């Protein structure tokens, strides 16, 4: 489902956020009225609304738009889904890849909806651990799959740009449901398939 501009941006919210951004710029010692910054508060306000648009979306609804009866019982793997999210601790981005596998139990889902599901939860203030679990839980619940496996690999700007300042550091998280949770062999198969 494509979202129109008016679905994401609320003029009153934009104005209120922009006022706060202007105050932050002043507190940092900047002049928010100088040429390069005159429109920055509004740009930041719209950017934040876009980057958190997932709050207005429902993952289950996205998946239910494309559920199909199908008697396929092997692993379905969608790899290398780009993720862009904001760390809830510093409001700095974390960027990476998401890999999702599921074993159907009579239902499959349109593949693009899996990527849309990732987007719904990534476009919220997040921690990577919770993001992994939310994606797995939603897919499990909507599909009634035999099991779901999710792996996220991301670079966190809060570790790279500030704090310990360690460029190149990657964080991996995993979430498993159903047969992936109970079978070490299936988890190994999932991890090996991700590497191909």
């Amino acid at each position: 489902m494509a979202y129109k501009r008016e679905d994401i941006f609320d003029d009153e919210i934009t104005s209120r956020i922009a006022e706060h951004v202007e105050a932050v710029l002043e507190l940092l010692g900047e002049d928010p009225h100088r040429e390069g910054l005159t429109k920055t508060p509004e740009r930041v306000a719209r950017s934040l609304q876009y980057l958190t648009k997932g709050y207005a979306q429902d993952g289950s609804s996205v998946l239910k738009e494309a559920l199909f009866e199908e008697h396929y019982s092997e692993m379905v793997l969608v790899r290398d889904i780009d993720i862009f999210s904001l760390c809830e601790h510093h409001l700095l981005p974390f960027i990476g890849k998401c890999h999702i596998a599921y074993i159907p139990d009579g239902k499959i889902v349109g593949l693009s909806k899996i990527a849309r599901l990732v987007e719904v939860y990534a476009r919220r203030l997040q921690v990577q651990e919770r993001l992994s679990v939310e994606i797995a839980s939603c897919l499990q619940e909507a599909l009634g799959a035999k099991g779901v496996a999710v792996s996220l690999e991301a670079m966190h700007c809060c570790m790279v740009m500030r704090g310990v300042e360690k460029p190149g550091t990657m964080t991996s998280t995993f979430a498993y449901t159903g047969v992936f949770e109970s079978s070490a062999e299936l988890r190994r198969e999932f991890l090996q398939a991700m590497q191909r």
Side-chain angles (χ1 to χ4, degrees):
M1 179 188 319
Y3 290 89
K4 298 177 185 160
R5 181 183 166 99
E6 58 270 14
D7 293 334
I8 299 169
F9 303 118
D10 178 295
D11 289 338
E12 181 183 343
I13 292 173
T14 300
S15 177
R16 290 176 65 195
I17 294 171
E19 288 174 19
H20 292 284
V21 172
E22 185 173 321
V24 168
L25 289 171
E26 288 175 346
L27 288 168
L28 292 173
E30 267 293 354
D31 173 9
H33 302 290
R34 73 173 172 81
E35 183 180 13
L37 291 175
T38 56
K39 294 186 180 183
T40 296
E42 184 177 315
R43 285 188 198 108
V44 171
R46 290 191 180 279
S47 174
L48 286 171
Q49 287 176 85
Y50 182 81
L51 294 171
T52 60
K53 68 182 181 177
Y55 288 120
Q57 300 170 331
D58 177 60
S60 296
S61 297
V62 167
L63 294 175
K64 288 177 182 171
E65 291 174 5
L67 289 179
F68 306 100
E69 298 288 328
E70 189 64 48
H71 297 289
Y72 181 80
S73 60
E74 299 300 322
M75 186 187 307
V76 176
L77 171 64
V78 181
R79 293 185 334 191
D80 298 324
I81 301 167
D82 289 324
I83 59 164
F84 305 94
S85 195
L86 289 176
C87 163
E88 68 182 34
H89 300 142
H90 302 98
L91 297 186
L92 289 172
F94 63 94
I95 299 163
K97 299 284 185 185
C98 182
H99 316 284
I100 299 174
Y102 73 97
I103 298 178
D105 191 13
K107 288 183 193 170
I108 60 170
V109 65
L111 297 176
S112 69
K113 300 305 181 192
I114 293 175
R116 288 189 190 277
L117 173 67
V118 171
E119 182 81 357
V120 167
Y121 290 108
R123 295 299 185 175
R124 300 175 182 189
L125 301 181
Q126 279 289 7
V127 293
Q128 185 174 331
E129 297 86 344
R130 182 174 60 241
L131 178 57
S132 304
V133 171
E134 287 177 337
I135 293 166
S137 297
C138 186
L139 191 57
Q140 175 66 50
E141 187 177 314
L143 279 178
K146 291 179 182 173
V148 174
V150 174
S151 171
L152 266 75
E153 302 164 326
M155 184 273 304
H156 291 251
C157 288
C158 57
M159 282 187 68
V160 172
M161 298 173 61
R162 54 156 305 281
V164 296
E165 296 184 47
K166 296 297 180 194
T169 304
M170 298 293 287
T171 300
S172 296
T173 53
F174 305 88
Y176 301 109
T177 69
V179 293
F180 283 102
E181 197 169 26
S182 60
S183 170
E185 184 179 333
L186 273 176
R187 289 193 301 275
R188 270 193 304 275
E189 186 180 335
F190 166 62
L191 296 172
Q192 287 171 353
M194 280 176 18
Q195 304 306 315
R196 293 184 188 147

